[in-house]
Amino acid sequence: MQLHHYFLQKHPLTAVLAAGLIALAACFGLGGATAHADRWEIFDQGEHLFLPEGPVEVDGVVMVPLRSIAERFGYTFVSVNNKEIVLTHQEGLRTIIRLGTKTALLEYEGGAKIQLMAQIPRNFNGAWFIDLALAGAMGGQGHSTVPGTNFIQLRPVSGDAKEQLERQYWFSFKDKGQTVFVNNQGQEKLQTLYTSPLDFGYDDLLPVKKSGYTAGYMNRAGELAIDAPHYQLGLFSEGLAWFKDLVNTENGGVTVRMGYMNRAGKVIIPGIYNRADDFSDGLAKVTRAGKTYYINHNGQMVIPPIPGLQNSESFSDGLAAVTVRTTAGGKRVLRTGFIDTAGKWVIKPIYESATPFSEGIATATLNGKSGLIDTAGKWIVKPQYSSGSTFLGQFRDGYILLTLRGEHDYTHRLVDTKGKIITVPGTGQLAGFGDGIVSYNDTGGYGFKTVTGQVIVKPMYSYMWNFKAGAGKGFIDYNDVYEAHLINKAGKVVWSTGMLE
Protein backbone atom coordinates (compact mmCIF):
# COMPACT_ATOMS: atom_id res chain seq x y z
CA MET A 1 0.00 0.00 0.00
CA GLN A 2 3.00 2.33 0.01
CA LEU A 3 3.60 4.46 -3.10
CA HIS A 4 7.18 5.67 -2.99
CA HIS A 5 7.89 9.22 -4.14
CA TYR A 6 10.68 8.02 -6.44
CA PHE A 7 8.37 5.46 -8.02
CA LEU A 8 5.73 8.14 -8.67
CA GLN A 9 8.23 10.35 -10.46
CA LYS A 10 9.51 7.55 -12.70
CA HIS A 11 6.18 5.86 -13.45
CA PRO A 12 3.39 8.47 -13.29
CA LEU A 13 0.76 6.50 -15.27
CA THR A 14 1.38 3.30 -13.35
CA ALA A 15 1.24 5.28 -10.14
CA VAL A 16 -2.16 6.68 -11.09
CA LEU A 17 -3.45 3.17 -11.76
CA ALA A 18 -2.03 2.08 -8.42
CA ALA A 19 -3.85 4.96 -6.79
CA GLY A 20 -7.02 3.68 -8.39
CA LEU A 21 -6.34 0.29 -6.84
CA ILE A 22 -5.90 1.97 -3.45
CA ALA A 23 -9.31 3.55 -3.84
CA LEU A 24 -10.74 0.22 -4.98
CA ALA A 25 -9.17 -1.55 -2.00
CA ALA A 26 -10.63 1.01 0.36
CA CYS A 27 -14.09 0.49 -1.09
CA PHE A 28 -13.90 -3.29 -0.80
CA GLY A 29 -12.39 -3.32 2.66
CA LEU A 30 -8.95 -4.55 1.67
CA GLY A 31 -5.70 -3.52 3.27
CA GLY A 32 -6.16 -1.05 6.10
CA ALA A 33 -9.75 -0.09 5.29
CA THR A 34 -12.62 -1.27 7.46
CA ALA A 35 -15.40 -1.50 4.87
CA HIS A 36 -17.97 -0.15 7.30
CA ALA A 37 -19.49 2.53 5.07
CA ASP A 38 -22.89 0.83 4.80
CA ARG A 39 -23.24 -0.30 8.41
CA TRP A 40 -25.44 1.66 10.74
CA GLU A 41 -24.01 3.21 13.88
CA ILE A 42 -26.47 3.86 16.71
CA PHE A 43 -26.09 6.87 19.00
CA ASP A 44 -28.18 8.10 21.93
CA GLN A 45 -27.73 11.62 23.26
CA GLY A 46 -24.42 11.75 21.39
CA GLU A 47 -23.06 8.53 22.92
CA HIS A 48 -22.20 5.62 20.66
CA LEU A 49 -24.19 2.65 21.94
CA PHE A 50 -22.35 -0.56 22.71
CA LEU A 51 -24.96 -3.13 21.67
CA PRO A 52 -23.48 -6.60 22.22
CA GLU A 53 -25.93 -8.30 19.86
CA GLY A 54 -26.35 -5.80 17.07
CA PRO A 55 -27.70 -3.77 15.35
CA VAL A 56 -29.08 -6.05 12.64
CA GLU A 57 -30.48 -5.10 9.25
CA VAL A 58 -33.33 -7.29 7.98
CA ASP A 59 -34.69 -6.64 4.49
CA GLY A 60 -33.49 -3.06 4.67
CA VAL A 61 -34.91 -2.43 8.15
CA VAL A 62 -32.47 -1.65 10.95
CA MET A 63 -33.29 -3.53 14.16
CA VAL A 64 -31.76 -3.11 17.62
CA PRO A 65 -31.66 -5.45 20.64
CA LEU A 66 -34.68 -4.82 22.83
CA ARG A 67 -33.07 -5.46 26.22
CA SER A 68 -30.19 -2.99 25.72
CA ILE A 69 -32.52 -0.26 24.45
CA ALA A 70 -35.26 -0.87 27.02
CA GLU A 71 -32.91 -0.79 29.99
CA ARG A 72 -31.25 2.40 28.71
CA PHE A 73 -34.66 4.09 28.44
CA GLY A 74 -35.70 3.06 31.97
CA TYR A 75 -37.82 -0.02 31.21
CA THR A 76 -37.88 -3.36 33.04
CA PHE A 77 -39.25 -6.65 31.73
CA VAL A 78 -42.49 -7.84 33.32
CA SER A 79 -43.19 -10.95 31.23
CA VAL A 80 -42.23 -12.68 28.01
CA ASN A 81 -44.31 -15.43 26.38
CA ASN A 82 -44.99 -16.66 22.87
CA LYS A 83 -47.56 -13.92 22.28
CA GLU A 84 -46.18 -10.75 23.80
CA ILE A 85 -43.44 -8.98 25.72
CA VAL A 86 -44.59 -6.68 28.51
CA LEU A 87 -42.32 -3.93 29.88
CA THR A 88 -42.88 -1.28 32.52
CA HIS A 89 -41.25 2.15 32.50
CA GLN A 90 -39.82 3.62 35.68
CA GLU A 91 -42.69 6.11 35.61
CA GLY A 92 -45.19 3.22 35.73
CA LEU A 93 -46.21 3.24 32.07
CA ARG A 94 -46.36 -0.04 30.11
CA THR A 95 -45.26 -1.10 26.66
CA ILE A 96 -46.70 -4.30 25.17
CA ILE A 97 -44.93 -5.73 22.13
CA ARG A 98 -47.14 -8.15 20.23
CA LEU A 99 -44.97 -10.92 18.82
CA GLY A 100 -45.71 -12.09 15.30
CA THR A 101 -47.26 -8.73 14.44
CA LYS A 102 -46.02 -5.26 13.50
CA THR A 103 -47.78 -3.51 16.36
CA ALA A 104 -46.96 -2.49 19.91
CA LEU A 105 -49.04 -0.70 22.54
CA LEU A 106 -47.35 2.24 24.30
CA GLU A 107 -48.94 3.87 27.31
CA TYR A 108 -48.39 7.55 27.96
CA GLU A 109 -49.77 10.00 30.50
CA GLY A 110 -53.47 10.17 29.85
CA GLY A 111 -53.76 7.39 27.31
CA ALA A 112 -52.13 4.84 25.00
CA LYS A 113 -51.23 4.58 21.31
CA ILE A 114 -50.53 1.86 18.79
CA GLN A 115 -46.98 1.96 17.39
CA LEU A 116 -46.51 0.42 13.94
CA MET A 117 -43.23 -1.32 13.05
CA ALA A 118 -41.65 -1.99 9.66
CA GLN A 119 -40.64 -5.50 10.76
CA ILE A 120 -42.08 -7.97 13.23
CA PRO A 121 -39.87 -8.51 16.30
CA ARG A 122 -37.12 -11.05 15.60
CA ASN A 123 -35.18 -13.39 17.86
CA PHE A 124 -31.48 -13.99 17.15
CA ASN A 125 -29.45 -16.18 19.46
CA GLY A 126 -31.99 -15.75 22.25
CA ALA A 127 -32.13 -11.94 21.98
CA TRP A 128 -35.24 -10.09 20.83
CA PHE A 129 -34.80 -7.30 18.27
CA ILE A 130 -37.16 -4.43 17.47
CA ASP A 131 -37.13 -1.92 14.65
CA LEU A 132 -36.01 1.67 15.06
CA ALA A 133 -39.55 3.05 14.89
CA LEU A 134 -40.44 1.30 18.14
CA ALA A 135 -37.04 2.01 19.73
CA GLY A 136 -37.42 5.71 18.96
CA ALA A 137 -40.96 5.76 20.33
CA MET A 138 -39.82 4.09 23.55
CA GLY A 139 -37.17 6.81 23.89
CA GLY A 140 -39.87 9.43 23.60
CA GLN A 141 -38.32 11.38 20.71
CA GLY A 142 -38.51 9.09 17.70
CA HIS A 143 -35.28 8.54 15.80
CA SER A 144 -33.37 10.40 13.11
CA THR A 145 -30.53 9.83 10.68
CA VAL A 146 -27.72 12.38 10.52
CA PRO A 147 -27.75 13.60 6.87
CA GLY A 148 -24.94 12.26 4.71
CA THR A 149 -23.90 9.60 7.24
CA ASN A 150 -24.81 6.14 8.50
CA PHE A 151 -25.40 7.58 11.99
CA ILE A 152 -28.77 6.94 13.63
CA GLN A 153 -29.77 8.99 16.67
CA LEU A 154 -32.38 7.67 19.08
CA ARG A 155 -32.38 10.85 21.18
CA PRO A 156 -30.62 13.62 19.24
CA VAL A 157 -27.99 15.97 20.61
CA SER A 158 -28.04 19.74 20.22
CA GLY A 159 -25.68 21.47 17.81
CA ASP A 160 -24.01 19.93 14.77
CA ALA A 161 -24.70 16.23 15.32
CA LYS A 162 -22.39 15.02 12.56
CA GLU A 163 -19.46 17.04 13.88
CA GLN A 164 -19.98 15.79 17.43
CA LEU A 165 -20.33 12.17 16.38
CA GLU A 166 -17.32 12.23 14.07
CA ARG A 167 -15.11 13.13 17.01
CA GLN A 168 -15.81 9.65 18.33
CA TYR A 169 -13.97 8.12 15.36
CA TRP A 170 -10.39 7.17 16.31
CA PHE A 171 -7.69 7.04 13.62
CA SER A 172 -4.93 4.44 14.05
CA PHE A 173 -1.20 5.17 13.65
CA LYS A 174 2.00 3.27 14.35
CA ASP A 175 4.44 5.46 16.29
CA LYS A 176 7.58 4.59 18.26
CA GLY A 177 6.63 0.96 18.71
CA GLN A 178 3.11 1.73 19.87
CA THR A 179 -0.32 1.97 18.28
CA VAL A 180 -1.74 5.46 18.82
CA PHE A 181 -5.41 6.32 18.30
CA VAL A 182 -6.26 9.94 17.51
CA ASN A 183 -9.58 11.73 16.92
CA ASN A 184 -10.15 14.26 14.13
CA GLN A 185 -9.17 17.11 16.45
CA GLY A 186 -5.68 15.64 16.85
CA GLN A 187 -6.32 14.53 20.43
CA GLU A 188 -4.58 11.28 21.38
CA LYS A 189 -7.26 9.05 22.86
CA LEU A 190 -5.27 5.86 23.46
CA GLN A 191 -1.71 4.53 23.30
CA THR A 192 -1.17 0.78 23.46
CA LEU A 193 1.44 -1.91 22.82
CA TYR A 194 -1.26 -3.96 21.10
CA THR A 195 -1.02 -3.58 17.34
CA SER A 196 -3.77 -3.04 14.79
CA PRO A 197 -3.73 -1.52 11.29
CA LEU A 198 -7.42 -0.69 11.68
CA ASP A 199 -8.98 2.53 12.90
CA PHE A 200 -11.12 2.19 15.99
CA GLY A 201 -13.87 3.79 13.95
CA TYR A 202 -17.16 3.65 15.81
CA ASP A 203 -16.53 0.15 17.11
CA ASP A 204 -16.23 -0.69 20.78
CA LEU A 205 -14.07 -3.78 20.28
CA LEU A 206 -11.10 -4.05 17.91
CA PRO A 207 -9.13 -7.18 16.94
CA VAL A 208 -5.50 -6.72 18.01
CA LYS A 209 -2.19 -8.56 18.01
CA LYS A 210 0.68 -8.73 20.46
CA SER A 211 4.23 -9.67 19.43
CA GLY A 212 2.87 -10.53 15.99
CA TYR A 213 0.25 -12.97 17.23
CA THR A 214 -3.51 -12.48 17.51
CA ALA A 215 -4.44 -11.71 21.11
CA GLY A 216 -8.17 -10.96 20.98
CA TYR A 217 -10.35 -7.87 21.14
CA MET A 218 -9.32 -4.62 22.82
CA ASN A 219 -11.82 -2.11 24.20
CA ARG A 220 -11.50 1.68 24.12
CA ALA A 221 -9.78 1.68 27.49
CA GLY A 222 -6.92 -0.32 25.95
CA GLU A 223 -7.86 -3.49 27.85
CA LEU A 224 -8.00 -6.95 26.32
CA ALA A 225 -11.76 -7.38 26.75
CA ILE A 226 -11.90 -10.74 24.95
CA ASP A 227 -9.00 -13.17 25.08
CA ALA A 228 -9.33 -14.89 21.70
CA PRO A 229 -5.95 -16.17 20.43
CA HIS A 230 -7.19 -17.39 17.04
CA TYR A 231 -5.16 -17.25 13.85
CA GLN A 232 -7.23 -14.30 12.61
CA LEU A 233 -10.22 -12.29 13.83
CA GLY A 234 -12.74 -10.14 11.99
CA LEU A 235 -14.54 -6.97 13.00
CA PHE A 236 -17.95 -7.28 14.62
CA SER A 237 -20.90 -6.95 12.28
CA GLU A 238 -24.48 -7.33 13.50
CA GLY A 239 -23.12 -8.45 16.85
CA LEU A 240 -21.01 -11.33 15.50
CA ALA A 241 -17.40 -11.56 14.31
CA TRP A 242 -15.76 -14.37 12.40
CA PHE A 243 -12.69 -16.18 13.68
CA LYS A 244 -10.22 -18.26 11.70
CA ASP A 245 -8.19 -21.21 12.98
CA LEU A 246 -5.56 -23.38 11.31
CA VAL A 247 -6.32 -27.03 12.02
CA ASN A 248 -4.02 -29.99 11.41
CA THR A 249 -5.39 -32.65 9.08
CA GLU A 250 -4.91 -36.41 9.29
CA ASN A 251 -2.45 -36.43 6.37
CA GLY A 252 -0.16 -33.93 8.09
CA GLY A 253 -1.42 -30.84 6.33
CA VAL A 254 -3.22 -27.75 7.57
CA THR A 255 -6.73 -26.55 6.77
CA VAL A 256 -8.78 -23.45 7.61
CA ARG A 257 -11.77 -23.58 9.94
CA MET A 258 -13.95 -20.51 10.56
CA GLY A 259 -16.89 -19.70 12.80
CA TYR A 260 -18.47 -16.78 14.68
CA MET A 261 -18.35 -15.39 18.23
CA ASN A 262 -20.39 -12.72 19.99
CA ARG A 263 -19.19 -9.66 21.88
CA ALA A 264 -18.95 -11.66 25.08
CA GLY A 265 -16.36 -13.92 23.42
CA LYS A 266 -18.75 -16.88 23.26
CA VAL A 267 -18.64 -19.04 20.13
CA ILE A 268 -22.15 -18.84 18.70
CA ILE A 269 -21.57 -20.65 15.41
CA PRO A 270 -18.89 -23.39 15.55
CA GLY A 271 -15.74 -23.25 13.45
CA ILE A 272 -16.85 -25.65 10.72
CA TYR A 273 -16.48 -23.49 7.62
CA ASN A 274 -13.64 -23.15 5.14
CA ARG A 275 -14.67 -19.55 4.54
CA ALA A 276 -16.96 -17.18 6.45
CA ASP A 277 -17.76 -13.57 5.58
CA ASP A 278 -19.19 -10.73 7.67
CA PHE A 279 -22.89 -10.69 8.48
CA SER A 280 -24.98 -8.15 6.59
CA ASP A 281 -28.73 -7.90 6.11
CA GLY A 282 -29.05 -10.70 8.67
CA LEU A 283 -27.07 -13.23 6.59
CA ALA A 284 -23.47 -14.33 6.08
CA LYS A 285 -21.92 -16.13 3.14
CA VAL A 286 -20.07 -19.31 4.13
CA THR A 287 -18.32 -22.16 2.34
CA ARG A 288 -18.13 -25.70 3.62
CA ALA A 289 -17.03 -28.88 1.83
CA GLY A 290 -16.90 -27.02 -1.47
CA LYS A 291 -20.46 -25.66 -1.19
CA THR A 292 -21.25 -21.97 -0.74
CA TYR A 293 -24.48 -20.81 0.88
CA TYR A 294 -25.89 -18.21 3.29
CA ILE A 295 -26.65 -18.69 6.99
CA ASN A 296 -28.54 -16.66 9.61
CA HIS A 297 -27.42 -15.61 13.10
CA ASN A 298 -28.31 -19.04 14.46
CA GLY A 299 -26.08 -20.80 11.93
CA GLN A 300 -29.04 -22.16 9.99
CA MET A 301 -28.86 -22.36 6.20
CA VAL A 302 -31.27 -19.80 4.74
CA ILE A 303 -30.17 -19.71 1.10
CA PRO A 304 -28.91 -23.12 -0.10
CA PRO A 305 -26.17 -23.55 -2.73
CA ILE A 306 -27.24 -21.83 -5.94
CA PRO A 307 -27.19 -24.04 -9.08
CA GLY A 308 -24.30 -23.18 -11.39
CA LEU A 309 -22.71 -20.88 -8.80
CA GLN A 310 -19.26 -19.58 -9.72
CA ASN A 311 -18.98 -16.66 -7.31
CA SER A 312 -21.12 -14.70 -4.86
CA GLU A 313 -20.79 -11.66 -2.62
CA SER A 314 -22.12 -10.63 0.77
CA PHE A 315 -25.40 -8.74 0.97
CA SER A 316 -25.56 -4.97 0.72
CA ASP A 317 -28.67 -2.85 0.24
CA GLY A 318 -30.68 -6.08 0.58
CA LEU A 319 -29.09 -7.68 -2.50
CA ALA A 320 -26.12 -9.95 -3.18
CA ALA A 321 -24.21 -10.17 -6.45
CA VAL A 322 -24.14 -13.76 -7.71
CA THR A 323 -22.28 -15.11 -10.74
CA VAL A 324 -23.54 -18.34 -12.30
CA ARG A 325 -22.76 -20.45 -15.32
CA THR A 326 -25.66 -20.19 -17.76
CA THR A 327 -26.49 -20.31 -21.48
CA ALA A 328 -26.59 -17.26 -23.74
CA GLY A 329 -26.67 -17.36 -27.54
CA GLY A 330 -26.24 -21.11 -27.46
CA LYS A 331 -23.00 -20.88 -25.48
CA ARG A 332 -22.14 -21.62 -21.86
CA VAL A 333 -21.12 -18.34 -20.28
CA LEU A 334 -20.69 -16.68 -16.88
CA ARG A 335 -23.27 -14.06 -15.99
CA THR A 336 -23.92 -11.99 -12.86
CA GLY A 337 -27.20 -10.93 -11.28
CA PHE A 338 -28.57 -10.15 -7.82
CA ILE A 339 -30.61 -12.17 -5.31
CA ASP A 340 -32.58 -10.96 -2.30
CA THR A 341 -32.35 -12.31 1.25
CA ALA A 342 -34.88 -15.02 0.37
CA GLY A 343 -32.57 -16.29 -2.38
CA LYS A 344 -34.79 -15.11 -5.25
CA TRP A 345 -33.44 -13.43 -8.34
CA VAL A 346 -34.39 -9.74 -8.17
CA ILE A 347 -32.09 -8.77 -11.06
CA LYS A 348 -31.57 -11.66 -13.45
CA PRO A 349 -28.01 -12.81 -14.27
CA ILE A 350 -27.48 -11.00 -17.56
CA TYR A 351 -24.30 -9.00 -16.87
CA GLU A 352 -20.75 -10.05 -17.73
CA SER A 353 -19.75 -8.60 -14.38
CA ALA A 354 -21.20 -6.45 -11.59
CA THR A 355 -20.08 -5.06 -8.24
CA PRO A 356 -22.02 -5.23 -4.98
CA PHE A 357 -24.45 -2.38 -4.34
CA SER A 358 -23.30 0.64 -2.39
CA GLU A 359 -25.56 3.61 -1.66
CA GLY A 360 -28.20 1.93 -3.82
CA ILE A 361 -26.04 1.75 -6.97
CA ALA A 362 -23.88 -0.96 -8.56
CA THR A 363 -21.59 -1.01 -11.57
CA ALA A 364 -22.50 -3.52 -14.27
CA THR A 365 -21.01 -4.58 -17.59
CA LEU A 366 -23.17 -5.61 -20.56
CA ASN A 367 -21.87 -6.42 -24.04
CA GLY A 368 -18.40 -5.36 -22.98
CA LYS A 369 -19.45 -1.91 -21.80
CA SER A 370 -19.91 -0.74 -18.21
CA GLY A 371 -22.58 1.48 -16.66
CA LEU A 372 -24.49 2.01 -13.41
CA ILE A 373 -27.72 0.33 -12.27
CA ASP A 374 -30.12 0.88 -9.36
CA THR A 375 -31.56 -1.83 -7.10
CA ALA A 376 -34.38 -2.44 -9.57
CA GLY A 377 -31.89 -3.14 -12.35
CA LYS A 378 -32.63 0.10 -14.20
CA TRP A 379 -29.75 1.92 -15.86
CA ILE A 380 -28.71 5.16 -14.18
CA VAL A 381 -25.80 5.41 -16.60
CA LYS A 382 -26.28 3.26 -19.69
CA PRO A 383 -23.40 0.87 -20.55
CA GLN A 384 -20.99 2.95 -22.59
CA TYR A 385 -17.47 2.64 -21.14
CA SER A 386 -14.93 0.13 -22.46
CA SER A 387 -11.33 -0.21 -23.71
CA GLY A 388 -9.84 0.81 -20.38
CA SER A 389 -12.46 3.40 -19.49
CA THR A 390 -14.46 2.15 -16.53
CA PHE A 391 -15.75 2.81 -13.03
CA LEU A 392 -13.41 2.20 -10.11
CA GLY A 393 -14.64 0.73 -6.84
CA GLN A 394 -18.05 1.57 -5.43
CA PHE A 395 -20.05 4.64 -4.43
CA ARG A 396 -18.89 6.38 -1.32
CA ASP A 397 -20.33 9.56 0.15
CA GLY A 398 -22.34 10.16 -3.00
CA TYR A 399 -19.67 9.65 -5.68
CA ILE A 400 -17.79 6.99 -7.63
CA LEU A 401 -14.55 7.35 -9.61
CA LEU A 402 -14.68 7.09 -13.39
CA THR A 403 -11.40 6.53 -15.24
CA LEU A 404 -11.26 7.61 -18.89
CA ARG A 405 -8.56 6.29 -21.17
CA GLY A 406 -6.96 8.82 -23.48
CA GLU A 407 -4.48 8.37 -26.28
CA HIS A 408 -1.46 8.43 -23.97
CA ASP A 409 -2.76 8.46 -20.41
CA TYR A 410 -5.77 8.27 -18.14
CA THR A 411 -7.91 10.97 -16.58
CA HIS A 412 -10.45 10.64 -13.80
CA ARG A 413 -13.85 12.12 -13.10
CA LEU A 414 -16.41 11.85 -10.33
CA VAL A 415 -19.90 10.56 -11.06
CA ASP A 416 -22.73 11.33 -8.65
CA THR A 417 -25.74 9.15 -7.79
CA LYS A 418 -27.77 10.74 -10.61
CA GLY A 419 -25.12 9.78 -13.17
CA LYS A 420 -23.81 13.31 -13.62
CA ILE A 421 -20.10 13.48 -14.53
CA ILE A 422 -18.17 16.02 -12.50
CA THR A 423 -14.76 17.38 -13.42
CA VAL A 424 -12.73 18.65 -10.48
CA PRO A 425 -11.11 21.87 -11.80
CA GLY A 426 -7.35 21.68 -12.32
CA THR A 427 -7.29 17.97 -11.55
CA GLY A 428 -6.91 15.25 -14.15
CA GLN A 429 -5.63 12.42 -11.98
CA LEU A 430 -7.94 11.66 -9.06
CA ALA A 431 -6.87 8.98 -6.61
CA GLY A 432 -9.96 8.73 -4.45
CA PHE A 433 -12.85 10.45 -2.74
CA GLY A 434 -14.41 10.60 0.71
CA ASP A 435 -16.23 12.96 3.03
CA GLY A 436 -16.50 15.67 0.36
CA ILE A 437 -12.74 15.71 -0.35
CA VAL A 438 -10.86 14.30 -3.35
CA SER A 439 -7.28 13.08 -3.30
CA TYR A 440 -5.31 13.81 -6.47
CA ASN A 441 -1.92 13.23 -8.05
CA ASP A 442 0.23 15.97 -9.53
CA THR A 443 3.99 16.34 -10.12
CA GLY A 444 4.68 12.99 -8.50
CA GLY A 445 2.89 13.64 -5.22
CA TYR A 446 -0.57 13.48 -3.70
CA GLY A 447 -2.74 16.22 -2.28
CA PHE A 448 -6.34 17.03 -1.35
CA LYS A 449 -8.95 19.26 -3.00
CA THR A 450 -12.62 20.04 -2.64
CA VAL A 451 -14.98 18.89 -5.38
CA THR A 452 -15.05 22.49 -6.63
CA GLY A 453 -11.27 22.42 -7.11
CA GLN A 454 -10.12 24.39 -4.06
CA VAL A 455 -6.71 23.13 -2.94
CA ILE A 456 -6.72 21.99 0.68
CA VAL A 457 -3.29 20.35 0.70
CA LYS A 458 -0.74 20.74 -2.08
CA PRO A 459 0.57 17.50 -3.64
CA MET A 460 3.34 16.73 -1.16
CA TYR A 461 2.49 13.24 0.09
CA SER A 462 3.86 9.89 -1.04
CA TYR A 463 0.46 8.30 -0.44
CA MET A 464 -2.66 8.90 1.60
CA TRP A 465 -5.94 7.50 2.85
CA ASN A 466 -9.15 9.18 1.78
CA PHE A 467 -11.00 11.51 4.12
CA LYS A 468 -13.51 10.07 6.58
CA ALA A 469 -15.02 11.38 9.81
CA GLY A 470 -13.64 14.86 9.13
CA ALA A 471 -9.97 13.99 8.58
CA GLY A 472 -7.57 12.27 6.18
CA LYS A 473 -4.23 10.53 6.54
CA GLY A 474 -1.13 11.54 4.58
CA PHE A 475 2.27 9.81 4.56
CA ILE A 476 5.66 11.18 3.47
CA ASP A 477 8.52 8.85 2.56
CA TYR A 478 11.92 9.97 3.83
CA ASN A 479 14.19 7.24 2.43
CA ASP A 480 11.80 4.46 3.52
CA VAL A 481 11.13 6.16 6.87
CA TYR A 482 7.51 7.24 6.82
CA GLU A 483 6.07 10.27 8.58
CA ALA A 484 2.32 10.15 9.14
CA HIS A 485 0.02 13.17 9.30
CA LEU A 486 -3.63 13.55 10.21
CA ILE A 487 -5.15 16.44 8.26
CA ASN A 488 -8.45 18.24 8.85
CA LYS A 489 -10.73 19.73 6.19
CA ALA A 490 -9.02 23.11 6.49
CA GLY A 491 -5.76 21.46 5.39
CA LYS A 492 -4.19 21.78 8.84
CA VAL A 493 -2.03 18.95 10.18
CA VAL A 494 -3.64 18.29 13.57
CA TRP A 495 -1.39 15.38 14.55
CA SER A 496 1.84 13.85 13.26
CA THR A 497 4.44 11.25 14.08
CA GLY A 498 6.89 14.12 13.53
CA MET A 499 5.60 17.57 12.67
CA LEU A 500 7.10 19.32 9.65
CA GLU A 501 8.78 22.68 10.25
Side-chain angles (χ1 to χ4, degrees), residues 78-123:
V78 175
S79 64
V80 179
N81 57 43
N82 60 358
K83 292 185 178 181
E84 63 184 23
I85 300 174
V86 181
L87 306 100
T88 300
H89 192 263
Q90 58 193 13
E91 297 178 355
L93 304 174
R94 293 190 309 163
T95 290
I96 302 174
I97 302 172
R98 297 162 178 166
L99 302 179
T101 75
K102 295 182 179 180
T103 62
L105 179 68
L106 276 71
E107 293 182 350
Y108 59 92
E109 289 187 16
K113 67 175 182 178
I114 298 295
Q115 175 66 47
L116 297 179
M117 295 177 280
Q119 275 283 355
I120 63 172
R122 302 294 184 101
N123 189 290

Side-chain angles (χ1 to χ4, degrees), residues 384-452:
Q384 55 188 283
Y385 298 105
S386 61
S387 302
S389 297
T390 188
F391 295 98
L392 288 174
Q394 296 173 284
F395 269 87
R396 179 179 179 182
D397 299 331
Y399 294 95
I400 191 172
L401 277 176
L402 172 65
T403 179
L404 299 173
R405 182 173 182 174
E407 184 176 354
H408 301 293
D409 61 1
Y410 291 84
T411 58
H412 296 96
R413 300 289 186 268
L414 293 177
V415 178
D416 67 16
T417 55
K418 302 296 183 182
K420 180 182 178 181
I421 297 177
I422 298 172
T423 300
V424 179
T427 306
Q429 309 298 353
L430 300 181
F433 174 84
D435 207 12
I437 306 295
V438 296
S439 53
Y440 71 104
N441 172 260
D442 188 22
T443 64
Y446 288 86
F448 292 109
K449 280 186 177 183
T450 65
V451 176
T452 58

Side-chain angles (χ1 to χ4, degrees), residues 1 18-28 392-394 396 401 431-433 465-466:
M1 300 299 295
L21 292 176
I22 288 177
L24 184 64
C27 289
F28 279 95
L392 288 174
Q394 296 173 284
R396 179 179 179 182
L401 277 176
F433 174 84
W465 289 111
N466 290 329

Side-chain angles (χ1 to χ4, degrees), residues 214-229:
T214 301
Y217 289 92
M218 179 182 69
N219 62 24
R220 285 182 176 253
E223 305 161 336
L224 192 67
I226 300 177
D227 185 9

Side-chain angles (χ1 to χ4, degrees), residues 481-500:
V481 176
Y482 288 87
E483 181 176 85
H485 293 175
L486 186 65
I487 308 153
N488 67 16
K489 286 189 173 182
K492 179 182 177 182
V493 175
V494 295
W495 185 90
S496 176
T497 55
M499 300 289 278
L500 289 176

Side-chain angles (χ1 to χ4, degrees), residues 196-269:
S196 174
L198 303 174
D199 293 341
F200 225 133
Y202 300 101
D203 299 287
D204 290 273
L205 293 171
L206 190 70
V208 292
K209 294 184 177 182
K210 189 172 184 178
S211 301
Y213 296 94
T214 301
Y217 289 92
M218 179 182 69
N219 62 24
R220 285 182 176 253
E223 305 161 336
L224 192 67
I226 300 177
D227 185 9
H230 295 275
Y231 177 66
Q232 285 184 353
L233 294 169
L235 286 165
F236 281 93
S237 173
E238 300 188 347
L240 296 175
W242 56 257
F243 63 86
K244 179 186 291 187
D245 290 323
L246 298 182
V247 179
N248 294 326
T249 61
E250 294 180 356
N251 60 7
V254 176
T255 188
V256 169
R257 290 289 181 266
M258 299 182 69
Y260 297 88
M261 69 174 69
N262 65 15
R263 281 182 165 139
K266 179 181 178 182
V267 173
I268 298 297
I269 302 175

